Amino acid sequence: MKLYFVRHGETSWNKLHKVQGRADIPLNDYGKYLAKKTAEGLKNKKIDLAYTSPLVRAKETAKIVLGDRKIPLIEEPLIQEMSFGISEGICFKGERKEPGGDEFNKFFIDTVNYKIPEGGESVPELLNRVGRFLQKLYQNEELKDKSILISTHGAALKAMLNCIRGIDSVDQFWGDGVPKNCSVTEVNVENGKPTIVSEGKIYY
């Protein structure tokens, strides 16, 4: 099994440093451009089916990357973005930073001391959720020889890569940072064991 993980293209909220989470924000024009460049980069890759987060920015990215391929595109709630509850929509950095922005920014710079907003998800909950998705893939005998695109989000993607690496500690969650928009990570799975082949490749 070969997996191609891609983070969605840019949205207006990405550009404004607004907390996105489950807020259903579409790609902006630049985000569509990034997805098109990624589609060009992957055009010669064999892809048999694709999973996408149900959120529109991930679905749009998947559809652009897949182009004219006539393959199944499956919506999978387990790989949607982490929920940030009542913090969604606030600007957490930059000139437009809003009240609560500094506290939320701990999610990125001091994850251990990040306080889960009301209605939000914890890092362990996220790891458990995406881990269930990965195990479901690995154990599906019908998919063992397939090449699969997985269109998802920054925190959800990082969580999946941590699951692959066996990292479950909150303080090590971000490692080398947030995956870039439309970055592609390739993973091989043999006998249910995943190996990262390349990480964070960009085609723009």
Side-chain angles (χ1 to χ4, degrees), residues 2 4 20 41 45 71 75 84-85 96 176 180 193:
K2 188 176 291 292
Y4 296 102
Q20 216 159 196
K45 300 289 187 182
I71 63 172
E75 290 189 24
F84 299 116
R96 295 188 177 93
D176 56 0
K180 292 183 178 179
K193 302 295 183 184

Side-chain angles (χ1 to χ4, degrees), residues 72-204:
L73 177 59
I74 304 161
E75 290 189 24
E76 175 52 77
L78 290 175
I79 61 171
Q80 66 185 320
E81 185 54 304
M82 189 174 184
S83 172
F84 299 116
I86 61 172
S87 288
E88 295 192 5
I90 69 166
C91 183
F92 64 91
K93 64 186 292 189
E95 293 180 1
R96 295 188 177 93
K97 184 170 64 179
E98 295 175 317
D102 287 333
E103 185 61 41
F104 179 82
N105 202 36
K106 287 181 181 178
F107 177 59
F108 298 106
I109 63 173
D110 185 16
T111 313
V112 170
N113 292 309
Y114 167 67
K115 294 179 181 176
I116 303 164
E118 181 183 336
E121 238 178 330
S122 69
V123 169
E125 286 170 336
L126 173 64
L127 289 166
N128 177 273
R129 169 162 62 81
V130 301
R132 296 201 311 274
F133 166 74
L134 292 174
Q135 289 302 316
K136 186 169 66 171
L137 275 190
Y138 303 159
Q139 294 166 13
N140 190 332
E141 283 294 311
E142 294 180 1
L143 300 180
K144 67 178 182 179
D145 297 319
K146 303 296 186 183
S147 294
I148 303 169
L149 180 76
I150 298 170
S151 183
T152 184
H153 308 264
L157 173 54
K158 198 68 179 184
M160 282 188 271
L161 298 181
N162 285 346
C163 287
I164 289 167
R165 290 192 167 100
I167 297 171
D168 60 6
S169 59
V170 174
D171 63 329
Q172 297 180 51
F173 181 77
W174 285 111
D176 56 0
V178 183
K180 292 183 178 179
N181 290 113
C182 280
S183 60
V184 179
T185 295
E186 182 180 338
V187 173
N188 281 339
V189 182
E190 292 187 16
N191 299 316
K193 302 295 183 184
T195 304
I196 296 173
V197 177
S198 64
E199 183 174 357
K201 187 170 184 178
I202 55 175
Y203 293 95
Y204 53 87

